[in-house]
Every structure is written in structure tokens, then in C-alpha cells.
Amino acid sequence: MSATRAPGIRGLLVDWGGVMTTDVFASFAAFCEQEGISPDAVATRFASDAESRELLVGLETGAISEEQFEPRFAALLGVDGDGLIDRLFASDADDPLMHQAVARARAAGVRTGLISNSWGTRRYDRELLARLFDGVVISGEVGIRKPSVRIYELGAQAIGLAPGECVFVDDLGMNLRPAAKIGMVTIRHVDAQQTISELEALLAVTLR
């Protein structure tokens, strides 16, 4: 690609669920349909119910375990708690275009990193993460979750760069604002084609 990389941008940081995978909220809706409850029951609980939010924060920071989270959140939804997290993410799948884009960015010399809010830490393919990223920050392992400013600082540190040298991609606007405040260029992920086009322009690298 003949374009010039945006001044100072040397690193690419990405979210996992909803960026490197398909839409997490679509998976939640599919779960709700399977369970015979309102299609937006999970999303609504996290958006407006304090107890559900507290459970989510605890899970994502590692303060509570999957085994503690599942029966308590299941009771709030009125569903069976057995294997709840796996069932919630049953329709979620890797996005091959985004995986390819990150791999190509790294091969071109861009420092790549992951900043992920985790639902337990056992489901990450560590070999895959090692192939894609120079640094990995997972909320349940560091005890901090997005949108805490500190987790973005840790993400930049993990790839050996300053925040202002990084572009950060996330599907949630609330997770982008703190990154922008510390100097990161941000991209709201809607679909792979759009995100990749924006990254190609910023990084001056062909990613597909």
C-alpha cells in the first residue's frame, strides 16, 4: 500500500469478543430464543439491573468465578445455570477476516495486542493469541476491566508503546472513550470490512 501511516501510529490493540469474533449480543439473543425468554433479556439485564451488572463486573475482573456467576445469573434470567456461559456464547465464532488483518499487521511490523474483558480465562486459545499478538491483557488476569483507563495503559505497555502510538478497536463506544482520552486513536467496530478499511488507512498496510 502506497499510503503513509498516520503520524506516530505503531501499534494495534483490539478487543476480542465482538471484534475478533462475531457479534456477542447476537449470540446472547440466540441463547434467549433457545431458552424461550425475551430476545433482549441478557442485554437488558446488564444494561439496567444492578445485581446483574455487579455479577458481570465480578466475573470480568476475576473477583468471582464462573461457578459462582452461573447459578446466580441464571436465577435472575429464570433459566438453568448448568454450563450457562458456554450456552451464552454457543453462537459466537471467530471472524477470519479480522484474524487475518491482525496477523498481516503484525507481519508488516505493527505491534499488536489484545485488551479483553474476560468471562473466565480458560476459553482463550493461547497458541492462537501467541500467533496474533505481541502482548495480551485479559481482565480476569489483571483484575481490571474496560472501561478503566488503567487497562488501556497496560495494553500499550504490553506491546512496548505509549498510548498515543496505538489504535484501539472495540465494538462498544463506552470502551473507546477512555482509550481516546489517553491519546489512542479509536475505531468503533461494526463489521470487519469497515474496520479493516479504516485500519489500512491508518497503518498504511494491506490487511486483506
Side-chain angles (χ1 to χ4, degrees):
M1 179 173 287
S2 60
T4 302
R5 186 173 299 180
I9 300 298
R10 301 169 53 207
L12 168 60
L13 297 167
V14 299
D15 176 34
W16 188 262
V19 173
M20 300 298 286
T21 74
T22 53
D23 184 356
V24 171
F25 291 96
S27 186
F28 291 167
F31 162 84
C32 292
E33 182 177 0
Q34 182 73 26
E35 296 290 328
I37 59 178
S38 171
D40 62 353
V42 172
T44 298
R45 278 282 175 184
F46 290 142
S48 60
D49 178 65
E51 186 175 358
S52 298
R53 288 288 301 172
E54 183 178 354
L55 286 172
L56 179 62
V57 170
L59 180 65
E60 290 185 335
T61 58
I64 66 173
S65 67
E66 294 181 45
E67 292 76 17
Q68 293 170 314
F69 172 85
E70 289 181 321
R72 293 169 65 184
F73 188 53
L76 295 174
L77 291 174
V79 301
D80 179 22
D82 187 39
L84 178 64
I85 294 175
D86 287 335
R87 286 156 48 216
L88 281 164
F89 288 95
S91 299
D92 200 34
D94 290 349
D95 187 326
L97 289 177
M98 287 302 300
H99 284 229
Q100 179 187 70
V102 171
R104 289 188 173 182
R106 190 181 189 191
V110 176
R111 302 286 293 177
T112 60
L114 176 70
I115 304 176
S116 178
N117 280 0
S118 57
W119 287 50
T121 60
R122 65 182 175 84
R123 294 173 183 80
Y124 293 93
D125 182 337
R126 301 296 172 149
E127 291 184 4
L128 174 61
L129 298 189
R131 291 196 300 271
L132 291 174
F133 302 112
D134 295 295
V136 170
V137 177
I138 294 172
S139 67
E141 295 177 345
V142 298
I144 307 166
R145 65 188 285 274
K146 294 175 289 184
S148 169
V149 167
R150 181 58 181 154
I151 200 168
Y152 304 97
E153 295 172 339
L154 291 176
Q157 290 174 14
I159 61 173
L161 298 175
E165 297 177 293
C166 302
V167 55
F168 175 61
V169 183
D170 201 292
D171 59 320
L172 299 179
M174 64 178 287
N175 289 340
L176 295 173
R177 289 187 286 274
K181 285 182 180 178
I182 61 170
M184 292 183 181
V185 175
T186 60
I187 294 175
R188 173 76 179 270
H189 179 81
V190 177
D191 62 70
Q193 294 290 358
Q194 177 180 321
T195 294
I196 291 169
S197 292
E198 293 185 52
L199 287 174
E200 286 179 329
L202 282 168
L203 302 173
V205 174
T206 300
L207 301 177
R208 53 191 148 187

